[in-house]
Amino acid sequence: MITQQGASDDHRRFMAEAIRLSIEKMVDNHGGPFGAVIVRDGEIVSNGYNCVTSRNDPTSHAEIVAIRNACTELNTFQLLDCQLFTSCEPCPMCLGAIYWARLKDVFYACTRDDAASFGFDDRFIYGEVSQPTDQRQIAMLQILREEAMEAFRRWDAKEDRTQY
């Protein structure tokens, strides 16, 4: 594990770029003050910044945009040999995407508590994720399970599927 004291000059340079993006794109009214870069073999392969409000897309967080851009650039859906540098600790949605993309390392600057102190508070979502579905604030009702299971059975039988 890399500690703050063990962060290299390259680590600091990549984080500085994520922070620069967070400020520049926020000032330009793209969205909130969040930026991210994805690095492979010591080179930035993609970047992303929050554009939730400019795209009217609640999923356009810096980390998600950077992951999408990296996957397109590298022509893959797994970023096993990549690192993410993000200006703030990832929210639950971004954390999920980080695990799905299988990034090797994540470096962050501000904490979720820092973000919460400026109105970007994800505590509610963290709490909801840990709740049983029948106790969440948004109703989640299961219907047509058996009909939907057909897709899984066909996936299981599909000989030319791409595993992930």
Side-chain angles (χ1 to χ4, degrees), residues 70-77:
C71 288
T72 298
E73 177 68 26
L74 300 173
N75 194 34
T76 184
F77 57 88

Side-chain angles (χ1 to χ4, degrees), residues 94-140:
C94 294
L95 189 59
I98 287 163
Y99 277 95
W100 280 116
R102 294 169 173 80
L103 285 150
K104 181 172 71 172
D105 296 307
V106 175
F107 297 84
Y108 64 94
C110 295
T111 68
R112 66 172 103 166
D113 292 330
D114 296 329
S117 72
F118 289 93
F120 299 97
D121 192 349
D122 297 326
R123 284 179 286 208
F124 171 74
I125 299 171
Y126 280 104
E128 283 289 285
V129 169
S130 66
Q131 292 291 337
T133 56
D134 64 343
Q135 294 178 23
R136 293 182 183 159
Q137 294 294 313
I138 296 175
M140 301 206 170

Side-chain angles (χ1 to χ4, degrees), residues 53-160:
T53 57
S54 61
R55 291 185 182 175
N56 292 317
D57 178 357
T59 68
S60 286
H61 289 200
E63 298 91 337
I64 300 286
V65 173
I67 288 168
R68 289 174 180 158
N69 291 342
C71 288
T72 298
E73 177 68 26
L74 300 173
N75 194 34
T76 184
F77 57 88
Q78 293 185 346
L79 303 173
L80 297 164
D81 56 350
C82 295
Q83 299 172 305
L84 172 70
F85 292 80
T86 181
S87 63
C88 190
E89 183 179 355
C91 74
M93 176 184 67
C94 294
L95 189 59
I98 287 163
Y99 277 95
W100 280 116
R102 294 169 173 80
L103 285 150
K104 181 172 71 172
D105 296 307
V106 175
F107 297 84
Y108 64 94
C110 295
T111 68
R112 66 172 103 166
D113 292 330
D114 296 329
S117 72
F118 289 93
F120 299 97
D121 192 349
D122 297 326
R123 284 179 286 208
F124 171 74
I125 299 171
Y126 280 104
E128 283 289 285
V129 169
S130 66
Q131 292 291 337
T133 56
D134 64 343
Q135 294 178 23
R136 293 182 183 159
Q137 294 294 313
I138 296 175
M140 301 206 170
L141 307 167
Q142 183 180 29
I143 61 172
L144 298 179
R145 178 182 179 270
E146 190 51 43
E147 291 83 347
M149 288 295 293
E150 182 62 22
F152 286 124
R153 288 190 283 273
R154 289 187 185 196
W155 170 259
D156 193 45
K158 186 173 172 47
E159 293 182 15
D160 64 341

Side-chain angles (χ1 to χ4, degrees), residues 27-38:
V27 168
D28 290 344
N29 292 319
H30 288 277
F34 304 95
V37 297
I38 293 183

